[in-house]
Amino acid sequence: MIFKEASTRGFRAYTAKHLDDLLRRAGLDEEERLRVRAVATVLPFRTNAYVVEELIDWSAVPEDPIYRLVFPQPDMLPAADVTRLADLLRDGAPSARLQAAANEVRMRLNPHPAGQLDLNVPRVGTEPVPGMQHKYPETVLFFPKQGQTCHAYCTYCFRWAQFIGEPDLKFASDDVAALVSYLRSHPEVTSVLLTGGDPMIMGEAVLRRYLEPLLAVEQLESIRIGTKSLGYWPQRFVSDPDADETLKLLASVVDAGKNLAFMAHFSHPREMDSPLVEAAVAGILGTGAVIRTQAPLIRSVNDDPAVWSSMWRRQHVMGMVPYYMFVERDTGPQDYFAVPLARAHEIFRDAYAGVSGLCRTVRGPSMSATPGKVCVDGVAEVAGRKVFVLHLIQARDPDLVGRPFFAAYDPEAVWLTDLRPAFADRFPFEPVTADARLSA
């Protein structure tokens, strides 16, 4: 009965125009609501009735982790910027003036980290291929045009620039023929990741237009779909009008001999409490697809080893495969959410120690940085020096994968660029300087 009731309610989105009313429910006073709305002029806000009614514990707001996961906080941006934007809102400033001020703040937030615009965009000749990224030799990311929104936005999202209406900052394409052509001209590519946004915001008929052409590309071994839908709208696979047809489509991918992997984002155990999630997971697994789980470590949301070990154990019981703990990326309100790398490793280690070997498929804490996915393996004393031990799980240069390297220990470091090499004048992925060549 719960599934039937959910289907009659249907999907209802809440956006910035609903924010003030929702914040009243949180008990915020007028000035607090104004400052949250000021933050929402810079960073996108979107949620839905399922998240609001089923996942958030309103008696625990503003500390509730799901509330913090989807609602902007007044101190997420520098106080001076928030005050300036709040004043413009209070004074009823023209929309163009408000947007100009918001864009000024956005451009200081590193909207496209890790070389997404200059290093990851593939080219045919000298022309960039829209809506694609090709960072690692074997994997291409594709951003389907109709999938560049989400059922709800995470406040920490590193792809926030996709959602602010600035075409120059957005990856998107509906040209699946160009994708197929690119793949056939690059036989080293064996995996395609459909990403966004969230591809599962698309209906079955639209999703089919992107998936079916890929089935004829013989070199492809796997198709991945990055999605938060299991956490934010599990009805997509259970009670939505095209839920059954969607599952049949997924089964057809597996039947065609491709490994189909859902890269499911779960940021907190509560997102898995609903029977709807259990039914959705069972439905996807029933198609022959694999569900791998990942999320970043976020201060004030899940920066507790017990949260992660509980989450991994629950995922394992449900048939999912714990895959990654990420480090919050160097974009958007990173300073607000970031956990120092030393503490991140402690949280990962303690959570990892609290699960069985079957859950230890998970990797991390991992930084998706410019050279690749850099994993913090631990803190050690080597030759009398305290250092971070790291390695590249994945890299632009495949020769660097799996090779350990060292960084000087820094208890305040939160990202790769905060670290300095130990026992060398550069990291393995950094170019040799002119001085180093001369000294050699």
Side-chain angles (χ1 to χ4, degrees), residues 264-346:
H265 293 243
F266 288 107
S267 308
H268 193 273
R270 195 186 301 163
E271 294 172 312
M272 295 177 286
D273 283 349
S274 170
L276 281 165
V277 179
E278 294 183 2
V281 168
I284 293 169
L285 295 178
T287 70
V290 177
I291 303 175
R292 298 184 185 274
T293 63
Q294 55 191 31
L297 177 63
I298 300 297
R299 185 168 62 86
S300 80
V301 172
N302 59 21
D303 53 336
D304 179 344
V307 167
W308 285 89
S309 59
S310 169
M311 192 155 54
W312 293 335
R313 290 197 305 269
R314 180 68 179 140
Q315 289 161 1
H316 169 64
V317 167
M318 294 172 73
M320 297 183 277
V321 181
Y323 189 53
Y324 268 119
M325 174 197 279
F326 287 118
V327 175
E328 171 65 354
R329 283 200 183 186
D330 55 335
T331 182
Q334 182 200 24
D335 292 345
Y336 185 80
F337 288 120
V339 175
L341 296 177
R343 177 59 185 151
H345 176 260
E346 289 176 355

Side-chain angles (χ1 to χ4, degrees), residues 114-116 119-120 134-137 369-372 392 394-398:
Q116 289 186 120
L119 300 178
N120 295 359
H134 192 180
K135 181 175 180 179
Y136 307 125
T370 301
L392 281 154
Q394 182 62 285
R396 292 182 189 278
D397 178 358

